[in-house]
Amino acid sequence: MVKGRLEAFSDGVLAIIITIMVLELKVPEGGNWASLKPLVPKFLAYIFSFIYVGIYWNNHHHLFQAVKKVNGSILWANLHLLFWLSLMPVATEWIGATRFSKNPVAAYGIGLIMCAIAYTILENLILKSEGENSRLKEAIHSKSKEYISIIFYISGIATSFFYPYIAIGFYYIVALIWLIPDKRIEKLLKED
Amino acid sequence: MVKGRLEAFSDGVLAIIITIMVLELKVPEGGNWASLKPLVPKFLAYIFSFIYVGIYWNNHHHLFQAVKKVNGSILWANLHLLFWLSLMPVATEWIGATRFSKNPVAAYGIGLIMCAIAYTILENLILKSEGENSRLKEAIHSKSKEYISIIFYISGIATSFFYPYIAIGFYYIVALIWLIPDKRIEKLLKED
Amino acid sequence: MVKGRLEAFSDGVLAIIITIMVLELKVPEGGNWASLKPLVPKFLAYIFSFIYVGIYWNNHHHLFQAVKKVNGSILWANLHLLFWLSLMPVATEWIGATRFSKNPVAAYGIGLIMCAIAYTILENLILKSEGENSRLKEAIHSKSKEYISIIFYISGIATSFFYPYIAIGFYYIVALIWLIPDKRIEKLLKED
Amino acid sequence: MVKGRLEAFSDGVLAIIITIMVLELKVPEGGNWASLKPLVPKFLAYIFSFIYVGIYWNNHHHLFQAVKKVNGSILWANLHLLFWLSLMPVATEWIGATRFSKNPVAAYGIGLIMCAIAYTILENLILKSEGENSRLKEAIHSKSKEYISIIFYISGIATSFFYPYIAIGFYYIVALIWLIPDKRIEKLLKED
């Protein structure tokens, strides 16, 4: 099966997820700058989630560049990832509307961890499908980034009940780790 | 006529359908867990419909992989399928907002049965267009899955007026039947 | 310049237009059938507009199949068409919410006529770009369908101030004329 | 890395941005023409922003036609541009809802200037990636259009605090400058 439609459908869903988050930035009633003030936490939450969805799009893009064939399991693992990502706008809205209060920040972290797990499942199924000796397997044989992320997410969720802003800091570090697209795959593609 | 744009347009519509359903998960006012409680039935309805739209995308994807050419009738049969699928967010919202009460669950079932009929029409037109001796015809000569689905849908709709949760069970069984993408076509594509 | 992205962008916009119209079908408060009653005119308006946008997508698809190259003017003529089509959801909502009353039905007709003019401009620019002796020129040398449509639209708009339902009838006839994708182009493509 | 998915994802986001702006045109309560009156400033703002997003799509389309390869920095510079463009619907809503009052018009101008900066960064990264001696470099060696735009935007923002309508005039002139897609690139592509 060709991968073109899986990529196109994922691009569509991710484009919508990233864009509908902006719908939450409800326009203020008045025309003065002060009326923008309640938008500030929502705007920060929007920037944060935009970067996160951007990271997932970038890594998805890199991962599938190296994929040769897809099968039924990969299609469903991809939909599973899209499901968790589709909850990002709701979680973003909640942290924005409650000004980064405890439970919403924890819920946001749980959402991020579910996305990370779904991405890892997808990656593993692709590695399995590409075969033991594939060059992709060689390229991403180390999963340290994946494991470090999980640890930081769990730390963030635990912290969120006491200091939500520090929890956001933990999530932010994971974002920084992944901001640079997978050099391992980029290197692999260059060798082609 | 090439099939590329039909696939791209369908992917776009399905991506939007699957994503706008999440807009119904209106963020709670407060920041405590209890405020999430009214979201629970809506969230369950969302998961259920996400899986259903995912199944249609998967099968649409499989079906068109085996298609060589499209014509005007296929374009319209495809739009007809997309029309019924586009009502899924409304039906999902209704069952979620009324906590799976009788009439909404019946209406949801009617929606599902219309999608199933529209899909069968599309499949038949494609088979007709591909020709009597095509390999696709050979691959999906048995329509038992399609017939069983219709029977379960009708049973679900009938039951919904008495026990809506059992009706959801019937719809759920159909989902399970179709969850595995069409092995018949996958086998066919492998032989190429 | 290649036409791929123009088609992809148009597909995206048309997919969104056709799908956001469904957002107007606001879910009823109660769970009984009677609560669906206010949705009936909105639902009829939705079906009507879905068919219209479907027709435009179909004809756009047919037209660009025969196009070899695009230029800046064609890009803008296409955006101009998408602009008028993007107003369809608003017009649909207005006729649905006012139960097909006079002014909204006239406004809807004006919207349709602007789409028709924009489509004709696009078609002319493409014909000009493809060259005097192109086969596309030969295929759509007769513009009778375009002229008949304009006449019916004007009749519809004039009638809408007295009998809005008859006006809808006029618009409906135009839809029927265009429902069958452009056989002239389909024939041309088959000869390739 | 191939550029196909970057283009597809950008098309998706731009298609959504251009279309969700229409959601702001809330349908009037009544069915008479007078009830359309409050929509007039919103409609003008919509037309204006539609043209602006259309210009960005056109130039994005032209720019990437001449691109041969993309890398991680280009992916992020592109997401950065999409981020600022995604704020266009909010800014459009604000100027429409406040009938082009001072602060919203200034905010709109700041949004436009950020888009222009993000586009310039993207262009520079592409030029750097394509190499010193690339023909794209030769084609867009003069950046006068980019510099004139920035000057007009700043003039517009400064003016907006006194005469918002004149500020809109400044933004409008920039639109006119860019309305014609990049002839420099179009010429380059023709030579191929």
Side-chain angles (χ1 to χ4, degrees):
Chain A
M1 256 189 294
V2 289
K3 63 180 176 175
R5 269 192 85 180
L6 183 148
E7 291 183 323
F9 182 71
S10 307
D11 280 349
V13 172
L14 289 170
I16 300 160
I17 290 172
I18 218 166
T19 324
I20 58 173
M21 289 193 295
V22 94
L23 290 176
E24 254 330 281
L25 299 175
K26 292 279 188 329
V27 155
E29 294 283 307
N32 54 332
W33 295 118
S35 59
L36 284 180
K37 221 180 150 189
L39 279 186
V40 174
K42 292 188 178 182
F43 188 59
L44 291 177
Y46 174 57
I47 295 175
F48 194 63
S49 294
F50 190 98
I51 292 171
Y52 249 106
V53 179
I55 288 168
Y56 272 101
W57 179 75
N58 254 358
N59 285 301
H60 193 275
H61 179 277
H62 273 74
L63 184 61
F64 275 91
Q65 286 259 321
V67 167
K68 286 203 172 58
K69 53 183 189 288
V70 295
N71 58 39
S73 325
I74 293 173
L75 293 189
W76 277 108
N78 188 56
L79 276 166
H80 179 236
L81 171 62
L82 294 177
F83 173 77
W84 290 109
L85 286 169
S86 80
L87 296 177
M88 288 279 284
V90 188
T92 305
E93 221 181 309
W94 207 25
I95 58 170
T98 59
R99 300 167 163 262
F100 300 89
S101 69
K102 295 172 187 180
N103 295 329
V105 171
Y108 192 87
I110 293 166
L112 290 178
I113 219 169
M114 294 312 295
C115 293
I117 291 169
Y119 188 81
T120 309
I121 293 171
L122 178 62
E123 209 177 55
N124 286 340
L125 281 171
I126 286 172
L127 284 176
K128 208 178 138 193
S129 150
E130 293 288 307
E132 270 302 311
N133 302 312
S134 75
R135 288 167 58 223
L136 184 66
K137 179 118 192 163
E138 205 181 319
I140 42 177
H141 65 282
S142 145
K143 295 244 176 185
S144 46
K145 264 169 101 169
E146 280 82 350
Y147 294 135
I148 294 170
S149 306
I150 302 285
I151 292 165
F152 274 87
Y153 283 140
I154 292 171
S155 314
I157 295 165
T159 320
S160 66
F161 295 107
F162 308 98
Y163 311 101
Y165 284 97
I166 294 176
I168 293 287
F170 276 114
Y171 306 158
Y172 191 70
I173 291 167
V174 183
L176 286 180
I177 295 175
W178 287 96
L179 209 59
I180 302 117
D182 224 315
K183 286 286 171 196
R184 303 168 296 189
I185 298 176
E186 212 160 303
K187 208 183 139 200
L188 171 73
L189 292 168
K190 238 176 226 155
E191 288 167 13
D192 283 336
Chain B
M1 256 190 294
V2 289
K3 64 180 175 175
R5 269 192 86 181
L6 183 148
E7 291 182 325
F9 182 71
S10 308
D11 280 348
V13 172
L14 289 171
I16 300 161
I17 290 171
I18 218 168
T19 325
I20 59 173
M21 288 191 297
V22 93
L23 290 175
E24 256 330 282
L25 299 175
K26 293 279 186 331
V27 155
E29 294 283 307
N32 54 333
W33 295 119
S35 61
L36 285 180
K37 222 180 148 187
L39 281 185
V40 174
K42 291 187 179 183
F43 188 60
L44 291 177
Y46 174 56
I47 295 175
F48 194 63
S49 294
F50 190 98
I51 292 170
Y52 249 106
V53 179
I55 289 168
Y56 271 101
W57 179 74
N58 254 358
N59 284 300
H60 194 275
H61 179 277
H62 274 74
L63 184 60
F64 274 91
Q65 286 259 323
V67 166
K68 286 204 173 56
K69 53 183 190 289
V70 296
N71 57 39
S73 326
I74 293 174
L75 293 189
W76 277 108
N78 189 57
L79 275 166
H80 179 236
L81 171 62
L82 293 177
F83 173 77
W84 290 108
L85 285 169
S86 80
L87 297 177
M88 287 278 285
V90 189
T92 305
E93 221 181 308
W94 207 25
I95 56 170
T98 59
R99 299 168 164 262
F100 300 89
S101 69
K102 295 173 187 180
N103 295 329
V105 171
Y108 192 88
I110 293 166
L112 290 178
I113 219 170
M114 293 312 294
C115 292
I117 290 169
Y119 187 82
T120 309
I121 292 171
L122 177 63
E123 207 176 57
N124 285 341
L125 280 171
I126 286 172
L127 285 176
K128 206 178 140 196
S129 151
E130 293 288 308
E132 270 302 311
N133 302 313
S134 74
R135 290 169 54 225
L136 184 65
K137 180 115 193 166
E138 206 181 320
I140 41 176
H141 65 280
S142 145
K143 295 245 177 185
S144 45
K145 263 168 102 170
E146 281 82 350
Y147 294 134
I148 294 169
S149 306
I150 302 285
I151 293 166
F152 274 87
Y153 282 141
I154 293 172
S155 313
I157 295 165
T159 321
S160 66
F161 295 107
F162 308 98
Y163 312 101
Y165 285 98
I166 294 176
I168 293 287
F170 276 115
Y171 306 158
Y172 191 71
I173 291 167
V174 183
L176 286 180
I177 296 175
W178 287 95
L179 209 59
I180 303 118
D182 223 314
K183 287 285 171 197
R184 303 169 296 188
I185 298 176
E186 211 160 305
K187 208 183 139 200
L188 172 71
L189 292 168
K190 239 176 227 157
E191 288 167 13
D192 282 336
Chain C
M1 255 189 297
V2 290
K3 64 180 176 176
R5 269 192 84 181
L6 184 146
E7 292 183 323
F9 182 71
S10 307
D11 281 347
V13 173
L14 290 170
I16 300 161
I17 291 172
I18 219 167
T19 324
I20 59 173
M21 288 193 297
V22 92
L23 290 176
E24 256 330 282
L25 299 176
K26 293 278 188 328
V27 155
E29 295 283 308
N32 54 332
W33 295 117
S35 60
L36 284 179
K37 221 181 151 188
L39 281 185
V40 174
K42 292 188 178 183
F43 188 60
L44 291 177
Y46 174 58
I47 294 174
F48 194 62
S49 294
F50 189 97
I51 292 170
Y52 249 105
V53 178
I55 289 169
Y56 272 100
W57 178 75
N58 254 359
N59 284 300
H60 194 275
H61 178 277
H62 274 74
L63 185 59
F64 274 91
Q65 285 259 322
V67 167
K68 286 205 173 55
K69 53 184 188 287
V70 295
N71 57 40
S73 325
I74 293 173
L75 293 189
W76 277 107
N78 188 57
L79 275 166
H80 179 236
L81 171 62
L82 293 178
F83 174 78
W84 289 109
L85 286 169
S86 80
L87 296 176
M88 288 279 285
V90 188
T92 305
E93 220 182 308
W94 207 25
I95 57 170
T98 59
R99 299 169 165 261
F100 299 90
S101 69
K102 295 173 186 179
N103 295 329
V105 171
Y108 192 88
I110 293 166
L112 290 179
I113 219 170
M114 294 311 296
C115 292
I117 291 169
Y119 187 82
T120 309
I121 292 172
L122 177 63
E123 207 176 58
N124 285 340
L125 281 171
I126 286 172
L127 284 176
K128 208 179 138 194
S129 150
E130 294 288 308
E132 270 303 311
N133 302 313
S134 74
R135 289 168 55 223
L136 184 66
K137 178 117 194 163
E138 206 182 318
I140 42 177
H141 66 281
S142 145
K143 296 246 177 185
S144 46
K145 263 169 102 170
E146 281 83 349
Y147 294 134
I148 294 170
S149 305
I150 302 286
I151 293 166
F152 274 88
Y153 283 140
I154 293 171
S155 314
I157 294 164
T159 321
S160 66
F161 296 106
F162 307 99
Y163 311 101
Y165 285 98
I166 294 176
I168 293 287
F170 276 114
Y171 306 156
Y172 191 72
I173 291 166
V174 183
L176 285 180
I177 296 175
W178 287 95
L179 209 59
I180 303 118
D182 224 315
K183 286 286 171 196
R184 302 168 296 187
I185 298 176
E186 211 159 306
K187 208 184 141 200
L188 172 72
L189 291 169
K190 239 177 226 159
E191 288 168 13
D192 283 336
Chain D
M1 255 190 296
V2 290
K3 63 180 177 175
R5 270 192 83 181
L6 184 148
E7 291 183 324
F9 181 71
S10 307
D11 281 348
V13 172
L14 289 170
I16 299 161
I17 290 172
I18 219 167
T19 324
I20 59 172
M21 289 192 295
V22 93
L23 290 177
E24 256 329 281
L25 299 175
K26 294 278 187 330
V27 154
E29 295 283 307
N32 54 331
W33 296 117
S35 60
L36 284 180
K37 223 181 151 187
L39 280 185
V40 174
K42 292 187 178 184
F43 188 60
L44 291 177
Y46 174 58
I47 295 175
F48 194 62
S49 294
F50 190 98
I51 292 171
Y52 249 105
V53 179
I55 289 170
Y56 272 100
W57 178 74
N58 254 358
N59 284 299
H60 193 276
H61 178 277
H62 274 73
L63 184 61
F64 274 91
Q65 286 259 321
V67 167
K68 287 204 170 56
K69 54 184 188 289
V70 294
N71 57 40
S73 325
I74 293 173
L75 294 189
W76 277 107
N78 188 57
L79 276 166
H80 179 235
L81 172 62
L82 294 177
F83 174 77
W84 290 108
L85 286 169
S86 80
L87 297 176
M88 288 279 285
V90 189
T92 305
E93 219 182 309
W94 206 25
I95 58 171
T98 59
R99 298 167 163 262
F100 299 89
S101 69
K102 295 172 187 181
N103 294 329
V105 171
Y108 191 87
I110 293 165
L112 290 179
I113 219 169
M114 294 312 295
C115 293
I117 291 169
Y119 187 81
T120 309
I121 293 171
L122 177 63
E123 208 176 56
N124 286 340
L125 281 171
I126 286 171
L127 284 176
K128 207 178 138 195
S129 149
E130 294 288 307
E132 269 302 310
N133 302 312
S134 75
R135 289 168 57 223
L136 184 66
K137 179 118 192 162
E138 206 181 319
I140 41 177
H141 66 281
S142 146
K143 295 244 175 183
S144 46
K145 263 169 101 170
E146 280 84 350
Y147 295 134
I148 294 170
S149 306
I150 303 284
I151 292 166
F152 273 88
Y153 282 141
I154 292 172
S155 314
I157 294 165
T159 320
S160 66
F161 295 107
F162 309 98
Y163 311 102
Y165 284 98
I166 295 177
I168 293 286
F170 276 113
Y171 306 157
Y172 191 71
I173 292 167
V174 183
L176 286 179
I177 295 175
W178 287 96
L179 208 59
I180 303 117
D182 224 315
K183 285 287 171 196
R184 303 168 296 186
I185 298 176
E186 210 159 307
K187 209 184 141 199
L188 172 73
L189 292 169
K190 238 177 225 157
E191 288 167 14
D192 283 336

